[in-house]
Structures are given as C-alpha cells and as structure tokens.
C-alpha cells in the first residue's frame, strides 16, 4: 500500500525567498511520485513527476524535486517565490505496477507568498 | 499531451435528484479512470477506480449504490450521484490512464456540485 505525508499544512514565504514543501512517502514497491498544484477553484496541474529515471526532477514554473530513497522523501523546491506561486500543493504517489494503479494524494500544503 | 474533459464543470441541483458527471478522454483510450472527491480546503479523496467493461472498485466508506460509476467505453466514464443531498456538495475530479501513458495520469478540470 502507498501513502503520502506532507509536513506543514500551511507554509508562508516572502517573495523572492526559497520555497520548500516537504513530502514523505511510504510504498511497498518502487514508487512513482508526483507534485500537483491547484489554484483556487480550479483543477489540478501536474508540476513534475518522478518515474525512476533521474532523481532530481525539474518541472514547470521553476519548480524541482529530488527523490531520496534513503529518506523516503520527495521535497519540492523553488529558488525564488513569486506571488503567482500561491496555491495548494499536493504530493502524490502511485505504485504503477500496472496501468490500473491508483494515485494516492497527500493532505496538501497551502503556500502563501508575502510581498 | 493527453486531454481529459469533464462535463458539466458546475451544477446546482435540488435535494433528492440525481446528477450525472461525465469524464471523457479526448485523444487516447483510457483503460482506467479514477474518481476523486475534494471538499473545500481538503485533499483529494479517491472514491473509486473504474476499468473499462467491468464493475468499478470502490474505496472503503464510499457507497456504491449512491455513487454509480459506469465505464462503458474506452473514452467515457460517468459518475452518477443518486438522491443527492447537501452533504454531497463537493468538487468531483476524474483522472484517466491509458496503456500508452503508463507513467502518467491525466486529470479533468473537475465538476462543482452544489446540492440545495
């Protein structure tokens, strides 16, 4: 079974500061990991995904995440926060053994960017 | 990239009525579709997994007689909320996965359901 935890339900950063959103996973098989962003009243947008290729994954809008198996982590970072980054961020995991596998979401982290 | 379309994007219905939400994969064959529910300021909760041509697999705590899921073709899955009540008001999101996109699932834009 797979599960995801996200430390910090709410994170505030100043504009231009480093963004760090934490994600730890639990999986009985090598996982596929995802970060999604959700803007208010909108659906989900895929930021990036890890599928067992490079451990450092670069996504859209300047975000990147590093898969660390020893720490079972997949933290999301961005060097410099923009006001437009304010949104809800979800880390997700899938076993992806077959095409039928479901994606399990973490509880989400709300990011606020202070001018 | 692959596109998943949901319809309607929002709906308001009266208590006791049934509401159908459609999820379509527009340019690929979705062997599996997933239905999620999201309450305000909460995460997405998986309701059920729908495989084409077979019965949906429901997550624990989800009433299969209340949330009817049909996946009759490789491009269409429907979620019907039967006898809707105000507590069913939520954001419903579908996602789809096809054999040619085995590493990624694609999400619809969601459907807002308000039951009054």
């Amino acid at each position: 079974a797979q599960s995801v935890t996200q430390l910090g339900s709410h994170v505030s950063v100043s504009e231009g500061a480093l963004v760090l959103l934490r994600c730890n996973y639990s999986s009985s098989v090598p996982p596929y990991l995802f970060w999604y962003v959700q803007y208010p009243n909108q659906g989900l947008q895929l930021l990036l995904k890890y599928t067992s290729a490079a451990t450092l994954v670069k996504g859209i809008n300047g975000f990147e995440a590093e898969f660390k198996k020893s720490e079972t982590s997949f933290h999301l970072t961005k060097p410099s926060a923009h006001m437009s980054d304010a949104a809800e961020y979800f880390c997700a995991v899938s076993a992806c053994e077959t095409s039928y596998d479901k994606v399990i979401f973490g509880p989400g982290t709300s990011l606020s960017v202070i001018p | 990239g692959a596109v998943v379309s949901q319809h309607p994007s929002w709906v308001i219905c009266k208590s006791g009525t049934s509401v159908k939400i459609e999820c379509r994969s527009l340019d690929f064959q979705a062997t599996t579709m997933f239905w999620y529910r999201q309450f305000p300021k909460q995460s997405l909760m998986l309701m059920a997994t729908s495989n084409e041509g077979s019965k949906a697999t429901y997550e624990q705590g989800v009433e299969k007689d209340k949330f009817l899921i049909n996946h009759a073709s490789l491009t269409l899955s429907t979620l019907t909320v039967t006898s809707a009540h105000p507590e069913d008001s939520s954001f419903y999101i579908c996602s789809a996965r096809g054999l040619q996109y085995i590493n990624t699932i694609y999400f619809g834009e969601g459907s807002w359901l308000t039951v009054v």
Side-chain angles (χ1 to χ4, degrees):
Chain A
Q2 287 73 41
S3 66
V4 176
T5 57
Q6 292 180 242
L7 184 62
S9 59
H10 187 87
V11 171
S12 291
V13 300
S14 298
E15 190 174 17
L18 171 71
V19 176
L20 171 60
L21 304 182
R22 299 178 185 275
C23 172
N24 288 88
Y25 70 90
S26 172
S27 178
S28 56
V29 298
Y32 289 80
L33 294 160
F34 311 86
W35 274 100
Y36 287 89
V37 61
Q38 184 179 36
Y39 297 101
N41 300 315
Q42 294 188 27
L44 297 177
Q45 182 179 8
L46 179 66
L47 279 177
L48 49 82
K49 63 182 179 181
Y50 166 76
T51 58
S52 76
T55 57
L56 181 62
V57 182
K58 294 186 183 297
I60 62 172
N61 300 339
F63 285 94
E64 64 180 37
E66 185 173 8
F67 172 71
K68 292 186 177 181
K69 183 179 179 181
S70 61
E71 299 177 7
T72 62
S73 68
F74 190 58
H75 302 330
L76 181 71
T77 60
K78 182 174 180 178
S80 177
H82 294 165
M83 295 298 295
S84 59
D85 294 328
E88 190 80 17
Y89 291 81
F90 295 97
C91 183
V93 63
S94 171
C96 219
E97 292 170 305
T98 72
S99 63
Y100 301 144
D101 274 335
K102 54 197 175 187
V103 174
I104 302 300
F105 285 84
T109 298
S110 177
L111 175 66
S112 298
V113 182
I114 304 168
Chain B
V3 177
V4 175
S5 174
Q6 271 186 250
H7 178 81
S9 56
W10 62 270
V11 58
I12 302 174
C13 68
K14 293 184 178 180
S15 289
T17 59
S18 294
V19 180
K20 180 184 288 186
I21 301 171
E22 294 185 347
C23 178
R24 295 181 183 272
S25 57
L26 297 185
D27 53 359
F28 69 100
Q29 293 183 329
T31 51
T32 305
M33 288 185 172
F34 306 91
W35 285 96
Y36 293 83
R37 179 169 55 184
Q38 183 183 32
F39 292 110
K41 300 190 181 301
Q42 295 188 27
S43 186
L44 283 76
M45 299 301 297
L46 180 66
M47 299 174 68
T49 302
S50 168
N51 296 315
E52 186 268 335
S54 62
K55 291 183 179 180
T57 301
Y58 289 82
E59 296 298 304
Q60 190 174 6
V62 178
E63 299 175 58
K64 60 181 180 181
D65 293 331
K66 180 169 185 61
F67 299 99
L68 301 179
I69 292 173
N70 182 279
H71 193 165
S73 77
L74 285 172
T75 59
L76 173 65
S77 176
T78 61
L79 168 68
T80 301
V81 183
T82 62
S83 187
H85 290 107
E87 57 264 31
D88 298 324
S89 299
S90 184
F91 190 52
Y92 292 88
I93 305 176
C94 74
S95 67
R97 168 177 283 158
L99 289 176
Q100 67 271 46
Y101 298 113
I102 195 168
N103 290 340
T104 303
I105 59 171
Y106 292 90
F107 282 83
E109 293 190 345
S111 299
W112 284 102
L113 169 63
T114 301
V115 185
V116 297

